[in-house]
Amino acid sequence: MILVNDPASFPAPLRPSVVTIGKFDGLHCGHRDLIACVREESLARGLTSVVVTFDRHPAALFAPERAPKPVVSLLQKEELLADSGVDATVVVPFTREFSQMSPADFVENFLIEQLGMRAVVLGNDFRFGFKGAGDVAYLRERGSELGFDTIVIDDTSDDGTHRASSTRIRELLEEGDVRGAATALDRNHRVRGVVVHGAKRGRELGFPTANLGPETLEGYVPADGVYAGWLLVDGERLPAAISIGNNPTFEGVPQKQIEAYVLDATLDLYGKSVTVEFVDFIRPMLKFDSLEALIASLGDDVARTRELLS
């Protein structure tokens, strides 16, 4: 996949193209249906397949205090799109100037002139241009004039009941329902970060953990609790019991932490970038009356992790 960070420098060999446009936060099953349609249309027409996305949520520009936390970081999104099989991804810097582009300029100058668009694939609620003035009806009207097709696909359901959306995935993760989120994403949810030194309490208890530095985290962090999952590092995928929270059994834990205890392995991971993949929720974060009770519960967590991952 070719990654283009400046639409004005879109490579000429990639024109003409079939395009889809959106935030693509999480690259969930609905997004994947759009991309599958783009790829099918591009192959049938002998054109390139192009995804247009943005470097941030529009709300991050206009109302950052209300902007939703992204399901994946921009880098994670680019990696997921690279794995999707599209020929190119255009990452548009969402600036105030870009937000004020009229629907006509967006279609004529951006999609047609810069990207060489011959067909566009969208969901039926797609809106674009200044104050969302452009929609599917506008694209169909301009397409007959400018020579491009507008293809609209139906909403995708993630479980037969709910419409797949990034908002719903965030809601599921807030509930700790990582299994439900995996259904909507078509994959297990992941976060990534650099392993840092912690208080080493886990080592003292017999369960040494890899602590992810909060300032390096990429991806939406699920609800506090204990999860079964995997730790990915250096090409290995290792079974892990994962804890998220402030560790209420101990005093003075300053902030929410992600800790992963790798089963049956002793590893030196300090300073390494690791990925934590969530499979299932085990229990909420609890405060224990004694270290003995905590250690017993950690043993149960590990046993449950083995069971869930088997």
Side-chain angles (χ1 to χ4, degrees):
M1 184 194 79
I2 296 174
L3 180 64
V4 180
N5 289 303
D6 178 7
S9 64
F10 189 76
L14 291 174
R15 307 186 189 102
S17 63
V18 178
V19 176
T20 187
I21 310 159
K23 295 185 287 292
F24 294 103
D25 184 23
L27 208 69
H28 57 62
C29 58
H31 297 147
R32 292 178 182 276
D33 284 351
L34 280 171
I35 291 170
C37 184
V38 167
R39 293 185 64 200
E40 290 171 7
E41 290 291 334
S42 67
L43 289 171
R45 298 165 185 253
L47 308 177
T48 58
S49 55
V50 177
V51 170
V52 175
T53 190
F54 309 103
D55 68 342
R56 72 196 81 178
H57 193 286
L61 176 66
F62 297 111
E65 70 283 355
R66 297 198 303 271
K69 295 178 183 178
V71 176
V72 295
S73 69
L74 178 58
L75 180 57
Q76 286 175 310
K77 177 166 66 171
E78 291 170 354
E79 292 168 352
L80 288 166
L81 287 167
D83 290 339
S84 73
V86 295
D87 295 314
T89 290
V90 180
V91 179
V92 179
F94 196 89
T95 62
R96 194 167 296 274
E97 179 183 8
F98 179 81
S99 74
Q100 294 172 346
M101 186 182 295
S102 70
D105 281 345
F106 185 81
V107 172
E108 296 170 26
N109 299 330
F110 178 59
L111 296 179
I112 301 296
E113 183 177 340
Q114 293 184 352
L115 306 186
M117 185 187 73
R118 296 286 179 81
V120 59
V121 179
L122 304 162
N124 54 28
D125 61 350
F126 178 77
R127 301 195 73 87
F128 65 98
F130 185 54
K131 294 185 177 179
D135 58 11
V136 167
Y138 177 84
L139 286 168
R140 284 177 168 151
E141 178 184 344
R142 297 307 308 277
S144 60
E145 172 191 347
L146 298 173
F148 67 87
D149 296 326
T150 299
I151 301 161
V152 178
I153 71 170
D154 293 332
D155 289 342
T156 300
S157 172
D158 58 15
D159 62 358
T161 302
H162 298 90
R163 173 181 176 269
S165 72
S166 302
T167 298
R168 172 163 163 75
I169 291 166
R170 282 188 286 270
E171 291 171 349
L172 290 167
L173 294 174
E174 281 294 327
E175 297 168 359
D177 187 2
V178 294
R179 185 175 289 277
T183 299
L185 289 167
D186 270 345
R187 67 182 188 280
N188 291 328
H189 179 61
R190 294 177 172 183
V191 300
R192 181 165 60 195
V194 175
V195 177
V196 298
H197 289 277
K200 296 183 171 58
R201 292 192 183 94
R203 188 176 302 277
E204 294 169 1
L205 297 172
F207 297 90
T209 59
N211 302 330
L212 276 60
E215 68 282 353
T216 68
L217 282 177
E218 298 178 68
Y220 199 98
V221 178
D224 288 4
V226 178
Y227 298 82
W230 304 91
L231 186 139
L232 289 74
V233 60
D234 296 337
E236 289 191 273
R237 190 165 179 259
L238 305 167
I242 305 152
S243 169
I244 300 176
N246 286 13
N247 214 335
T249 301
F250 301 98
E251 295 182 357
V253 179
Q255 57 195 346
K256 188 169 185 172
Q257 296 180 328
I258 299 180
E259 305 175 69
Y261 168 68
V262 177
L263 278 59
D264 307 320
T266 301
L267 305 170
D268 182 4
L269 299 175
Y270 293 120
K272 290 191 175 186
S273 177
V274 301
T275 295
V276 172
E277 178 179 311
F278 299 92
V279 173
D280 212 341
F281 182 82
I282 294 177
R283 64 169 173 86
M285 184 60 62
L286 301 172
K287 182 175 182 178
F288 294 92
D289 294 331
S290 66
L291 290 182
E292 290 77 14
L294 171 59
I295 292 170
S297 182
L298 293 175
D300 292 341
D301 296 339
V302 169
R304 182 65 176 144
T305 296
R306 291 187 195 280
E307 179 184 349
L308 288 168
L309 298 183
S310 64

